[in-house]
Amino acid sequence: MKNLISVKNYSNKNLETYKKALEIYKEKSEEIKFLYKKIDDHNIEVLEKLSQKIRSQSDVFIIIGVGGSNGASRAVIEGLSSSDIKIEYAGNSLSPKHIRKILDIVREKDVSINIIAKNFKTLEPGIHFRMIREEMAKKYTKKELEDRIIVTGTKDTLLEKIAIDNNYKFLEFDKEIGGRFSAFTNVHLLPIAVAGIDIRRYLKARDEFLNSKENIEKILEYASYRYDSFQKGKVVEILSSTDPYLSYFNKWWVQLFGESQGKDNLGIYPDSMVFSEDLHSMGQFIQSGNPIFMETFLRIKEYEDVKVYNSNIHDEFEYLDEKAFSNINKAMEEASIKAHLERNIPIFDIQIDSLSIESFAALFSFFIVAVIISSYLMGVNPFGQEGVEKYKNAMNKNLRSN
Ligand code: PA5
């Protein structure tokens, strides 16, 4: 199998930490098993058929969900940007401007929607689902609504009841798997399939990646680097991706690490940047500001390339004539790694083969296993997110009393 991810640790390795990480990996193997969960063939066929139907009947597919309920699929869809059907996201803000835009789309285009919520108590997706389905009900018959509304929810919740009562197609959101860990479940498989991406290739790549001992070693090395850097006072980790098509992956990664590790007054604060753009702003801080961070690079090795045009107009960029853009990007990457190393920033370099569905499968697998080991290394339980629930309950109380 192709080596989908290669890594290089530029910081000082501590063998003791690596051994501890390995012990945790073995001890917690039961807790990691959910990631390997097989999706049976029948389920895949259902998703494929459903996605074809949605694609054929819609101009726009609206994903209603927030956080772990839309993060992974958005990272893939925006990263591969290959969708021939327009995809919109809703239920992830409380912006009046955005809901107005979405309602306009519903009025003007043929739409299908997928509401995704684990417990259906979260306000943002809940209220957007109501607004959008009511708007849809103004133009579609009951039968058409049944064909155009797909519900992904946990069994025995109000959301399932709504689906049953209204004859909407229901996909199960696994009770055992939290949103941010759900990259390989119905939650994200349907949106990815609707975007025209092959979910069989995606699942196969996950299996192959996780079944390689070599890949697990890379994950352990990454978890060790995080822990060792934290011990040296590096309380922030920057994920520096070097391509804007990884922006939504960055967002998924920030949530994964923030929500899993930020507990008990502990955790490494996860931040992310997209180079080269952010080098023109935060590059200053990285180079000369408070040295509180470690830096994880995320780079892409192979591209479908394009060469710089020659030009008769003298612009002092002649030294770039006919150079491949990928080489120019690489020059930026190598230069920033070098400059940041000279500042003694601990650096871990992760490279994916290319921007492909297989690479996304490998990245999700890599970081989900990593966050579990890394959290236990710090003494934090990665599962659960009581902090988020607190704010949700407070907002709920406020709105009910006003
Ligand atoms: O990872 C998590 O569990 C959370 O980020 C949830 O995905 C997020 O809060 C949305 O929850 P729900 O799907 O229940 O609306």
Side-chain angles (χ1 to χ4, degrees):
M1 186 218 167
K2 253 171 71 184
N3 196 9
L4 289 171
I5 289 187
S6 51
V7 304
K8 182 165 175 177
N9 185 0
Y10 284 92
S11 67
N12 293 332
K13 293 176 199 169
N14 177 344
L15 203 60
E16 282 311 304
T17 313
Y18 185 90
K19 278 189 196 153
K20 228 163 126 186
L22 179 59
E23 269 167 35
I24 291 172
Y25 174 71
K26 287 180 183 160
E27 259 171 42
K28 301 290 180 188
S29 60
E30 280 301 308
E31 290 182 31
I32 298 173
K33 257 193 186 149
F34 74 86
L35 189 60
Y36 295 73
K37 199 165 178 179
K38 195 159 165 35
I39 309 286
D40 66 52
D41 243 26
H42 174 69
N43 191 349
I44 296 179
E45 273 165 29
V46 167
L47 293 170
E48 284 173 340
K49 281 205 181 115
L50 193 54
S51 66
Q52 277 154 17
K53 186 167 166 211
I54 294 168
R55 286 163 63 77
S56 67
Q57 72 186 10
S58 336
D59 305 315
V60 182
F61 176 59
I62 304 171
I63 301 171
I64 308 172
V66 68
S69 290
N70 77 3
S73 55
R74 194 174 197 182
V76 171
I77 294 165
E78 302 297 318
L80 299 180
S81 80
S82 56
S83 181
D84 45 2
I85 160 168
K86 180 100 184 98
I87 301 205
E88 292 284 349
Y89 301 88
N92 53 346
S93 80
L94 292 167
S95 160
K97 186 174 164 69
H98 189 64
I99 183 63
R100 283 172 63 93
K101 173 188 152 180
I102 295 289
L103 294 177
D104 280 345
I105 291 172
V106 174
R107 274 180 221 115
E108 288 159 17
K109 305 274 181 196
D110 266 327
V111 301
S112 298
I113 67 171
N114 184 195
I115 161 77
I116 308 166
K118 184 160 184 183
N119 66 16
F120 198 52
K121 296 236 185 300
T122 312
L123 188 155
E124 291 91 337
I127 201 65
H128 279 77
F129 180 38
R130 180 201 286 192
M131 296 291 286
I132 295 167
R133 74 170 183 266
E134 291 304 321
E135 193 62 50
M136 287 172 77
K138 293 180 190 166
K139 64 183 249 189
Y140 292 122
T141 62
K142 184 174 179 320
K143 171 77 189 71
E144 285 169 333
L145 288 178
E146 289 171 10
D147 283 341
R148 289 174 183 276
I149 298 181
I150 293 100
V151 170
T152 307
T154 317
K155 275 202 176 297
D156 307 319
T157 57
L158 178 57
L159 187 56
E160 186 197 25
K161 185 176 177 317
I162 293 175
I164 294 170
D165 290 350
N166 293 280
N167 212 16
Y168 302 148
K169 174 84 191 152
F170 181 78
L171 298 173
E172 189 175 350
F173 194 138
D174 201 319
K175 268 198 183 110
E176 312 301 321
I177 304 179
R180 62 188 175 279
F181 301 107
S182 66
F184 298 105
T185 69
N186 284 340
V187 175
H188 301 281
L189 289 173
L190 179 71
I192 291 174
V194 172
I197 299 162
D198 187 340
I199 52 176
R200 288 180 193 266
R201 271 174 56 191
Y202 177 61
L203 292 168
K204 186 165 178 262
R206 169 200 66 172
D207 294 344
E208 290 183 358
F209 184 84
L210 287 170
N211 284 326
S212 142
K213 189 168 167 257
E214 203 188 310
N215 288 332
I216 302 298
E217 284 166 6
K218 293 173 194 168
I219 297 170
L220 297 177
E221 206 169 316
Y222 171 66
S224 309
Y225 137 86
R226 297 185 90 240
Y227 182 78
D228 291 336
S229 306
F230 182 68
Q231 296 307 317
K232 288 180 207 139
K234 308 297 181 186
V235 293
V236 176
E237 179 184 9
I238 302 171
L239 181 71
S240 298
S241 295
T242 58
D243 193 298
Y245 285 95
L246 291 168
S247 299
Y248 281 98
F249 181 81
N250 280 11
K251 211 170 155 61
W252 172 86
W253 177 91
V254 165
Q255 186 200 350
L256 180 73
F257 279 84
E259 226 172 34
S260 304
Q261 230 174 39
K263 290 167 198 162
D264 311 327
N265 297 317
L266 279 167
I268 298 165
Y269 183 85
D271 191 13
S272 77
M273 293 189 197
V274 178
F275 292 173
S276 64
E277 187 171 14
D278 289 337
L279 283 170
H280 297 272
S281 53
M282 291 302 285
Q284 168 62 33
F285 194 106
I286 298 177
Q287 204 62 59
S288 319
N290 196 342
I292 49 171
F293 43 82
M294 62 189 92
E295 192 178 15
T296 302
F297 274 80
L298 179 53
R299 314 199 270 153
I300 302 166
K301 275 192 204 156
E302 302 282 337
Y303 281 94
E304 257 178 61
D305 230 333
V306 53
K307 283 192 175 165
V308 175
Y309 295 152
N310 292 330
S311 171
N312 290 330
I313 298 177
H314 170 64
D315 56 10
E316 291 192 355
F317 288 109
E318 286 78 8
Y319 64 99
L320 297 175
D321 284 355
E322 295 202 24
K323 274 208 162 50
F325 259 77
S326 65
N327 284 340
I328 303 173
N329 205 39
K330 208 158 272 155
M332 172 277 291
E333 295 170 348
E334 303 292 349
S336 40
I337 289 179
K338 185 167 181 290
H340 299 171
L341 278 175
E342 278 165 12
R343 256 219 106 190
N344 288 325
I345 297 169
I347 288 183
F348 197 88
D349 184 23
I350 300 176
Q351 294 195 46
I352 54 172
D353 245 36
S354 61
L355 212 46
S356 67
I357 187 57
E358 284 82 3
S359 296
F360 277 106
L363 283 174
F364 291 140
S365 306
F366 182 98
F367 284 115
I368 290 175
V369 177
V371 81
I372 295 170
I373 296 171
S374 181
S375 300
Y376 282 124
L377 262 176
M378 294 182 93
V380 172
N381 179 345
F383 304 103
Q385 59 279 333
E386 300 72 21
V388 181
E389 303 308 325
K390 250 187 200 146
Y391 120 80
K392 281 188 193 173
N393 293 339
M395 180 167 71
N396 210 291
K397 212 164 152 193
N398 259 349
L399 287 168
R400 282 175 201 274
S401 66
N402 284 330

